[in-house]
Amino acid sequence: GDSVTQMEGPVTLSEEAFLTINCTYTATGYPSLFWYVQYPGEGLQLLLKATKADDKGSNKGFEATYRKETTSFHLEKGSVQVSDSAVYFCALSEWETSGSRLTFGEGTQLTVNP
Amino acid sequence: GAVVSQHPSRVICKSGTSVKIECRSLDFQATTMFWYRQFPKQSLMLMATSNEGSKATYEQGVEKDKFLINHASLTLSTLTVTSAHPEDSSFYICSAYTGARGIGDTQYFGPGTRLTVL
């Protein structure tokens, strides 16, 4: 079945540091890929998504590129801020096998210190 | 666009009582809504998938008689935790699916409901 593996956290960075959170997936077909962010005590917010190979999703300075050859969708940001502190979830959906259901990674806690 | 609300945001109840949580899609129609449960520092656990006008599909291990789901309209789904016990205390999150069959359609999430059973 489908699965998503994220780099283990927690990740602690200083403000303005470069961020990478690794995400790899296994799927039988051609999934859509997502990054969601969860701030403390809140639900999930869609951060970015990509629907086919080589697509790049971007939002609020975050980027991720759908790499089919390496089955990866790593999240990057060039300069993090304290306000980026949150939990980040990588996820996929594959209509052909599971309809609109999402398969989530375990989440990566990011803490950015001033 | 694509805003999902949940009500209440936080509820405290006594053991043995029932609690209803509402999930609404405010600016779109959602043919499918999902209910998740999240334990501290963990990922989301899918509880059930709710399609408008039909019975919910529950994940393995989720008690359908305990977690009653109703999807009465294209903008409203409710989760009722019946005879709640302390072990039901958790963060419950709903999501609404925007599209019909297709690539790239997205789930949008509500802000969550913190349930505490005393």
Side-chain angles (χ1 to χ4, degrees), chain B residues 11 13 37-40 67 81 84-92 113-118:
Chain B
V11 57
C13 68
R37 184 173 180 177
Q38 187 179 33
F39 293 101
F67 299 100
V81 183
H85 291 284
E87 59 265 30
D88 299 323
S89 298
S90 192
F91 193 53
Y92 292 88
T113 297
R114 174 73 60 192
L115 170 63
T116 303
V117 184
L118 302 176

Side-chain angles (χ1 to χ4, degrees), chain A residues 1-3 23 36 47 71 80 93 101 110:
Chain A
D2 297 344
S3 67
C23 171
Y36 284 89
L47 183 59
T71 61
V80 294
S93 69
R101 292 176 54 162
L110 170 67

Side-chain angles (χ1 to χ4, degrees), chain B residues 1-7 21-35 50 52 70-78 94-99 106-111:
Chain B
V3 178
V4 177
S5 70
Q6 276 184 248
H7 179 79
I21 302 170
E22 291 187 350
C23 176
R24 293 182 185 271
S25 56
L26 298 185
D27 50 4
F28 64 98
Q29 293 185 330
T31 53
T32 303
M33 289 185 172
F34 299 86
W35 287 95
S50 169
E52 186 265 339
N70 184 280
H71 194 158
S73 76
L74 285 171
T75 59
L76 173 65
S77 177
T78 60
C94 73
S95 71
Y97 182 65
T98 58
T106 303
Q107 283 188 35
Y108 291 92
F109 286 79

